[in-house]
């Protein structure tokens, strides 16, 4: 890039490590024998152990013609997020390479901030506050019997400045759980409580946003009326003080009748785990097929992810089952672990994909 907004992408094969700036010039069709160097050049480098490690980048910088001129060279570290570049920045400073500027791939928002030890706390706090605003607004409306459709939800999120469809849906679902808990705590008859939860289900927005991670984890939530029926069957409310275990707790829909102080909850998604903590639950963030509760529980209530998990090798992942046996059904594996950690006279409701 030579002083303007225009830029060109150069294949790595066309870069010459010993003379990178002139290698770039050759790839651009410029006479590489010229002694005139651009005033300013930006070169993107793939950074990391499997791409260009720190020493290779330093060799690049030590040999560039810019060390002899008055121009500036900016290296833009592509995909630098997973690997901290602070040691690289320190080495550049120690060697006095004042003609070098370093930036990192802006695509990796959170990692970029971590790389430069300048995590934008204000931005994170603002998004968390926006999440809570959307959650609480949705909870208030739904608990009052006011429908919240997609259009209404979008407006609430816009006013709160909450970004991305997935975050908006997670905030709405957290609000839905809070509304369901409020309906249950009113102390109405079972029939009226159930009818109100059905009305809540009909008033809620369609929550369909899924990230690749949530799809792999099969992170689908239990409808409020079904969660209430499961809770009643587990007899959670009748035996307050008896430990309840929820191995894949999500946002806490299955726990709307439970006393948070009596619950051992596990949820590996950090956003949903925080939603549980906001409700007063103590939460572990572990793989449910490996989680070990602190104590045996008197009640087990779970709606684990269903079906099989395909590995990178395109084979079905196997999970521990009974004894030395394994199963490809993740919900069966979690269910068995949950029952094995339940007291002999305990009570369980398991919502499974099939048997």
């Amino acid at each position: 890039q030579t002083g303007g907004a225009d830029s060109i992408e150069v294949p790595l094969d066309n870069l010459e490590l010993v003379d990178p700036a002139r290698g770039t010039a050759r790839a651009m069709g410029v006479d590489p024998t010229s002694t005139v160097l651009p005033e300013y050049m930006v070169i993107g480098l793939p950074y990391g152990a499997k791409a260009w490690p720190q020493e290779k980048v330093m060799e690049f910088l030590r040999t560039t013609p810019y060390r002899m001129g008055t121009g500036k060279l900016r290296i833009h570290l592509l995909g630098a997020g997973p690997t901290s570049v602070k040691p690289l920045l320190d080495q550049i400073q120690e060697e006095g390479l004042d003609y070098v500027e370093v930036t990192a791939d802006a695509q990796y928002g959170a990692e970029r901030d971590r790389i430069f030890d300048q995590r934008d706390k204000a931005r994170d706090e603002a998004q968390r506050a926006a999440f809570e605003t959307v959650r609480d607004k949705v909870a208030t409306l739904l608990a009052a019997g006011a429908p919240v459709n997609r259009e209404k939800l979008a407006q609430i999120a816009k006013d709160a400045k909450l970004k991305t469809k997935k975050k908006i849906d997670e905030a709405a679902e957290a609000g839905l759980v809070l509304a369901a808990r409020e309906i249950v705590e009113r102390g109405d008859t079972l029939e009226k409580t159930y009818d109100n939860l059905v009305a809540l289900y009909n008033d809620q927005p369609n929550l369909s946003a899924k990230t690749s991670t949530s799809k792999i984890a099969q992170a689908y939530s239990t409808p409020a009326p079904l969660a209430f029926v499961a809770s009643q069957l587990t007899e959670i409310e009748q035996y307050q003080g008896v430990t309840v275990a929820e191995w894949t707790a999500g946002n806490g829909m299955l726990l709307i009748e439970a006393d948070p102080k009596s619950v051992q909850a596990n949820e590996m998604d950090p956003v949903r785990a925080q939603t549980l903590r906001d409700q007063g639950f103590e939460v572990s963030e572990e793989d449910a097929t490996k989680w070990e509760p602190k104590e045996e529980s008197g009640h087990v209530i779970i709606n684990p992810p269903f079906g099989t998990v395909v590995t990178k090798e395109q084979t079905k992942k196997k999970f521990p089952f009974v004894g030395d046996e394994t199963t490809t059904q993740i919900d069966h594996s979690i269910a068995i672990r949950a029952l094995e950690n339940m007291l002999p006279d305990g009570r369980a409701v398991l919502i499974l994909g099939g048997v």
Side-chain angles (χ1 to χ4, degrees):
Q1 181 167 315
T2 56
D6 297 331
S7 62
I8 184 171
E9 291 186 3
V10 180
L12 286 177
D13 292 344
N14 293 340
L15 286 177
E16 296 179 1
L17 181 58
V18 175
D19 202 351
R22 301 196 197 287
T24 303
R26 179 179 293 111
M28 295 168 63
V30 178
D31 180 6
T33 63
S34 171
T35 58
V36 179
L37 291 171
E39 179 182 353
Y40 194 78
M41 179 174 283
V42 178
I43 298 178
L45 298 178
Y47 186 71
K50 296 183 179 179
W52 280 36
Q54 179 175 331
E55 187 51 44
K56 188 171 183 179
V57 173
M58 289 303 302
E59 184 181 355
F60 183 108
L61 299 178
R62 295 187 194 106
T63 57
T64 174
Y66 277 87
R67 71 190 190 282
M68 302 298 292
T70 59
K72 284 284 187 179
L73 174 66
R74 171 176 290 176
I75 58 169
H76 187 78
L77 302 175
L78 301 169
T83 305
S84 175
V85 298
K86 192 173 187 309
L88 173 64
L89 299 176
D90 291 342
Q91 189 172 358
I92 289 173
Q93 185 176 10
E94 289 172 3
E95 296 193 18
L97 305 184
D98 54 4
Y99 52 87
V100 177
E101 295 179 1
V102 180
T103 59
D105 199 333
Q107 178 182 353
Y108 294 85
E111 288 84 352
R112 175 199 61 205
D113 296 335
R114 178 178 58 79
I115 289 167
F116 294 101
D117 292 334
Q118 295 176 344
R119 176 177 292 277
D120 190 349
K121 293 183 179 179
R123 181 201 60 197
D124 292 343
E125 291 173 358
Q127 278 297 285
R128 181 61 197 174
F131 180 97
E132 293 174 357
T133 298
V134 173
R135 176 198 67 194
D136 295 345
K137 183 67 174 179
V138 169
T140 299
L141 290 171
L142 290 175
V148 178
N149 56 23
R150 288 300 311 184
E151 183 179 358
K152 180 66 174 178
L153 177 59
Q155 186 59 53
I156 294 172
K158 182 179 180 181
D159 293 342
K161 298 182 180 179
L162 182 62
K163 302 176 181 179
T164 79
K165 190 171 184 291
K166 177 59 180 172
K167 289 181 180 178
I168 294 169
D169 279 12
E170 282 291 343
E173 187 170 312
L176 176 62
V177 173
L178 295 183
R181 179 174 280 274
E182 180 179 331
I183 290 172
V184 167
E185 290 176 349
R186 292 172 184 169
D188 294 326
T189 64
L190 293 180
E191 291 78 6
K192 186 174 181 179
T193 298
Y194 178 79
D195 289 342
N196 287 338
L197 291 172
V198 170
L200 172 69
Y201 178 77
N202 291 329
D203 287 342
Q204 73 182 58
N206 177 31
L207 304 176
S208 58
K210 294 290 176 182
T211 63
S212 58
T213 301
S214 62
K215 287 179 180 177
I216 292 172
Q218 296 291 317
Y220 301 96
S221 300
T222 310
L226 178 58
F228 180 65
V229 171
S231 178
Q232 285 290 309
L233 290 173
T234 316
E235 297 183 354
I236 287 178
E237 187 182 26
Q238 289 90 324
Y239 297 94
Q240 296 292 351
V242 178
T243 303
V244 179
E246 224 290 36
W247 294 63
T248 54
N251 286 306
M253 186 62 83
L254 285 171
L255 300 171
I256 53 177
E257 287 192 293
D259 178 0
K261 296 178 182 178
S262 300
V263 174
Q264 297 183 93
N266 182 66
E267 173 52 50
M268 65 187 302
D269 181 273
V271 174
R272 295 184 170 196
Q274 183 57 50
T275 294
L276 289 166
R277 293 188 182 98
D278 290 344
Q279 297 175 65
F281 293 101
E282 182 178 337
V283 189
S284 300
E285 297 183 44
E286 300 180 24
D287 180 343
T289 64
K290 301 175 181 178
W291 181 47
E292 293 287 349
K294 295 179 181 179
E295 59 182 279
E296 292 182 316
S297 55
H299 301 284
V300 167
I301 182 168
I302 58 172
N303 179 11
F306 299 160
T308 59
V309 176
V310 180
T311 67
K312 293 180 180 179
E313 292 76 26
Q314 298 302 305
T315 60
K316 293 181 179 180
K317 186 174 181 179
K318 294 183 178 181
F319 301 96
F321 196 47
V322 179
D324 295 331
E325 296 183 18
T326 60
T327 177
T328 59
Q329 303 298 308
I330 187 172
D331 51 331
H332 293 185
S333 176
I334 296 172
I336 286 295
R337 288 186 61 78
L339 293 175
E340 288 176 343
N341 281 271
M342 186 176 70
L343 292 170
D345 58 348
R347 192 174 182 90
V349 170
L350 318 173
I351 303 174
L352 305 178
V355 294

